Amino acid sequence: MYTLRLGHLYPDLMNLYGDRGNVIALERRCRWRGIRLEIVPLGLGDELDPEAFDLLFMGGGQDREQRAIFRDLHKRKGDALREAVRRGVVVLAICGAFQLLGHYYRTHQGDTIPGLGIFDAWTEAGPRRMIGNVVARMAIADLNFTLVGFENHSGRTYLGPGCRPLARVLVGYGNNGEDGTEGAVYENAVGTYLHGSLLPKNPQLADYLLGKALSRRYPGARLSPLDDRLEQLAHRVMVQRCMSDGRARSWSR
Ligand code: GLN
């Protein structure tokens, strides 16, 4: 039986709009295939061993939580997280966590919360919050599927040349509401603004990440297919609903 280990960073502090559902989705999709997913919470004060994990997950948090964890993130986990990314560990970081894996986040108050610089990206708080449902098309080569999710952030994230966008926005704001990008990818690390939860709504992304983790740990191993008809139906309904709402929104402007 295959076993994978997932490190869940700050599960009590970084968790918005059901972000924990991503971990549950990964665990279930493993279990349905007979793969064991061990989940290890990594809170304030815990050290991170860069070799111990196949996947690392950190959910979103508002400025208050970001301030509460960033020192610990730098001191106890930063080097290990960079090392893990260098070794190809799969990382998923949502919203406030995505911001903290970039170079910095400048808040409304004008203070700068330094990030880990894993993504060549930076974030500055803007005058309005970007709230609503999102539809985006994956921008990774060979992956031709849409993502649906929910965003709520005032930070505007801009990508430098050292990382690529995860997806292109069809409805919603994405990274900054200006350049049509959503999220970032560097090695096997993915950052995104999409809550939702993201992975239950987007099983293809869940399997993309799981597949990477599995084949890295067990070369040659492949994920067996699951019956995702219900999930795909739910996904399609959301895409259609958001696309018609999105058109209605742009007509009324
Ligand atoms: N502080 C961030 C922002 O509003 C993160 C919000 C979030 O994680 N939803 O931009």
Side-chain angles (χ1 to χ4, degrees), residues 16 60-63 66 95-96 99 105 129 152-155 195:
L16 284 178
Q62 300 296 359
D63 297 16
Q66 291 174 292
C95 197
Q99 295 173 351
Y105 169 44
R129 288 198 79 79
N152 183 354
H153 54 108
S154 65
H195 304 276

Side-chain angles (χ1 to χ4, degrees), residues 89-134:
V89 170
V90 172
V91 177
L92 178 61
I94 313 286
C95 197
F98 171 34
Q99 295 173 351
L100 289 180
L101 296 199
H103 297 301
Y104 66 84
Y105 169 44
R106 185 162 303 136
T107 69
H108 277 293
Q109 288 74 27
D111 54 321
T112 298
I113 302 178
L116 294 181
I118 288 172
F119 295 118
D120 179 17
W122 58 96
T123 304
E124 304 192 346
R128 60 167 181 181
R129 288 198 79 79
M130 292 175 265
I131 306 175
N133 289 317
V134 178

